[in-house]
Amino acid sequence: MSGFFSEKYKALVPYTPGEQPRDMKYIKLNTNESPFPPSEKAVRAASTAAKKLMLYSDPECTALKEALAARYGIDRDEVLPTNGSDEILNFAFMAFCDDKHPAAFADITYGFYKVFAKLNGIPYTEIPLKDDFTIDTGDYIGINKTVFIANPNAPTAIALNREQIEEIIRSNPENVVVVDEAYVDFGGESCVPLIHKYDNLLVTQTFSKSRSMAGARLGYGIGCRSLINDLNTIKYSTNPYNVNSMTMAAGIGMLEDEEYTASNCRAIQTNRDYISAELRGLGFILTDSKTNFVFAKHPKISGKELYLALRQRGILVRHFETERIAEYNRITIGTFEEMRILRDALADIIGGREEL
Ligand code: PMP
């Protein structure tokens, strides 16, 4: 730390992204990316846009907003594209939280919520998940705080249904409820249809998972006009050109090829069913995944040991040191071939344990 670092941030513990090692070629199942490339339409659109890179991107993201509005049956003033959904989440902390509206989120959820709260000096409460890692919706009814819920949740992979989330939104009319739907396309139920019913609902989504564009950094928030207006005030006070023109073009290209996205999601679900059954056969305990990853532990080997044994075999998964989930690993669903290799590696590791 330099002697110049602001007092405000000295105690900040930044978010740790999943590792991106370069020492050898790994099967990367640690950051919930898609194993499939973006649609050719997206690639072509981005490459055409590259020719105009001497110009600033459209700060209003007009064409992208129109494409998103058409996709979700909403108005273009009800959506705000951002630099990944991380950015819209940070904007939401900035716009909708303060001492009178502290943040509330689960103890086991997306690690960035706590970082954003601390970064912005916002008081927050972490609400413990139940022992089985499900959310007790009763904990959030009338909580009177700005609620952040990842649905489906990460890294637990478990989803609430729309009625359960709606109860939380309805019971907190004085606060915004942010529903982070980064993984919704893999089997969750979206709350987007509720945005016209509740002026305190913000839904965030991303192109990083189901739409194969993690490297392009594109996310968005959907909510009523007044919420989007507030978020725009934050955007225009930080970075008006937050979405670059190649990313914008690629995003529109992806939206023109929704059947490609849908078929990739179906493939992920098929591969998830396959690996879940195989893991259970090997004695693993899994949560009920509605995402592009599984969350698993095995009674014969610790989470850390399993992570290291897989790493040695060239397979990267995500292990968290957090006490409650230290026995688990979060494993991204890849191609069928990757899942077969994973299965064989796990059978080998677990088989070795059983001989001891
Ligand atoms: N929400 C959740 C629950 C996530 O797991 C992630 C991915 N790290 C994000 C939001 C942010 O993703 P991105 O910024 O790539 O849209």
Side-chain angles (χ1 to χ4, degrees):
M1 189 185 301
S2 82
F4 305 104
F5 199 35
S6 165
E7 281 299 330
K8 272 192 304 203
Y9 302 125
K10 278 190 176 157
L12 195 59
V13 181
Y15 176 72
T16 317
E19 53 191 328
Q20 307 280 4
R22 308 260 181 254
D23 57 334
M24 60 176 263
K25 198 161 165 30
Y26 288 94
I27 294 183
K28 256 190 104 280
L29 307 176
N30 68 329
T31 44
N32 297 343
E33 290 143 328
S34 172
F36 308 117
S39 148
E40 267 307 312
K41 286 190 181 169
V43 176
R44 276 198 301 271
S47 125
T48 305
K51 297 187 179 120
K52 292 272 175 65
L53 280 177
M54 66 287 198
L55 302 176
Y56 281 110
S57 59
D58 170 17
E60 280 294 307
C61 303
T62 314
L64 176 59
K65 275 190 199 166
E66 273 166 8
L68 283 165
R71 164 68 180 77
Y72 290 101
I74 55 171
D75 197 274
R76 74 172 200 221
D77 300 339
E78 293 168 332
V79 60
L80 175 62
T82 50
N83 193 306
S85 56
D86 282 338
E87 188 176 55
I88 190 88
L89 289 165
N90 188 31
F91 287 176
F93 273 90
M94 294 170 80
F96 306 126
C97 300
D98 54 29
D99 289 349
K100 287 208 196 102
H101 304 86
F105 41 83
D107 63 340
I108 307 294
T109 188
Y110 185 35
F112 232 137
Y113 301 159
K114 199 198 294 197
V115 179
F116 286 141
K118 289 193 172 160
L119 175 71
N120 295 299
I122 293 159
Y124 63 91
T125 311
E126 290 176 279
I127 301 176
L129 296 179
K130 291 198 268 190
D131 288 343
D132 62 0
F133 295 140
T134 55
I135 287 177
D136 186 344
T137 49
D139 290 341
Y140 295 83
I141 301 299
I143 188 172
N144 215 23
K145 295 180 162 72
T146 303
V147 173
F148 291 81
I149 293 190
N151 193 46
N153 196 11
T156 63
I158 301 169
L160 292 173
N161 63 37
R162 191 184 296 143
E163 286 74 44
Q164 291 172 300
I165 303 261
E166 184 168 2
E167 258 187 275
I168 297 172
I169 302 165
R170 196 187 307 119
S171 72
N172 287 288
E174 303 300 319
N175 284 275
V176 174
V177 175
V178 179
V179 185
D180 172 353
E181 295 187 348
Y183 299 103
V184 75
D185 295 337
F186 302 106
E189 229 182 334
S190 177
C191 284
V192 169
L194 300 180
I195 65 140
H196 293 135
K197 200 164 162 193
Y198 299 98
D199 66 0
N200 63 329
L201 167 64
L202 179 72
V203 178
T204 66
Q205 293 195 2
T206 180
F207 280 70
S208 296
K209 317 293 178 187
S210 59
R211 293 197 178 105
S212 305
M213 277 180 45
R217 314 303 304 123
L218 184 58
Y220 50 97
I222 295 182
C224 73
R225 264 189 197 82
S226 56
L227 288 189
I228 297 298
N229 259 340
D230 297 342
L231 292 160
N232 259 313
T233 301
I234 305 287
K235 162 182 151 139
Y236 280 95
S237 307
T238 50
N239 185 8
Y241 307 105
N242 60 337
V243 180
N244 75 68
S245 32
M246 286 195 295
T247 292
M248 230 181 295
I252 295 165
M254 278 311 291
L255 290 168
E256 281 166 6
D257 211 350
E258 281 286 272
E259 181 41 44
Y260 177 72
T261 297
S263 99
N264 287 343
C265 289
R266 286 193 295 272
I268 295 294
Q269 283 168 305
T270 303
N271 299 351
R272 182 178 74 202
D273 290 347
Y274 161 76
I275 197 66
S276 299
E278 291 292 327
L279 286 174
R280 290 200 171 98
L282 290 169
F284 279 88
I285 295 160
L286 277 75
T287 58
D288 177 21
S289 173
K290 295 281 188 272
T291 62
N292 67 338
F293 56 91
V294 290
F295 195 53
K297 71 172 179 182
H298 196 282
K300 292 251 165 62
I301 182 165
S302 79
K304 180 80 178 259
E305 278 179 289
L306 183 68
Y307 157 77
L308 290 171
L310 282 171
R311 199 176 202 287
Q312 231 179 12
R313 288 167 169 77
I315 301 174
L316 273 187
V317 299
R318 186 87 196 252
H319 179 256
F320 298 91
E321 300 286 348
T322 316
E323 199 186 325
R324 266 192 92 181
I325 55 170
E327 290 310 310
Y328 283 79
N329 279 290
R330 191 194 70 188
I331 307 173
T332 305
I333 306 299
T335 60
F336 192 75
E337 180 62 10
E338 287 171 332
M339 294 300 96
R340 246 188 12 75
I341 295 169
L342 170 71
R343 190 247 158 236
D344 291 349
L346 289 171
D348 191 34
I349 295 164
I350 302 299
R353 285 285 146 155
E354 275 162 0
E355 279 160 23
L356 294 177

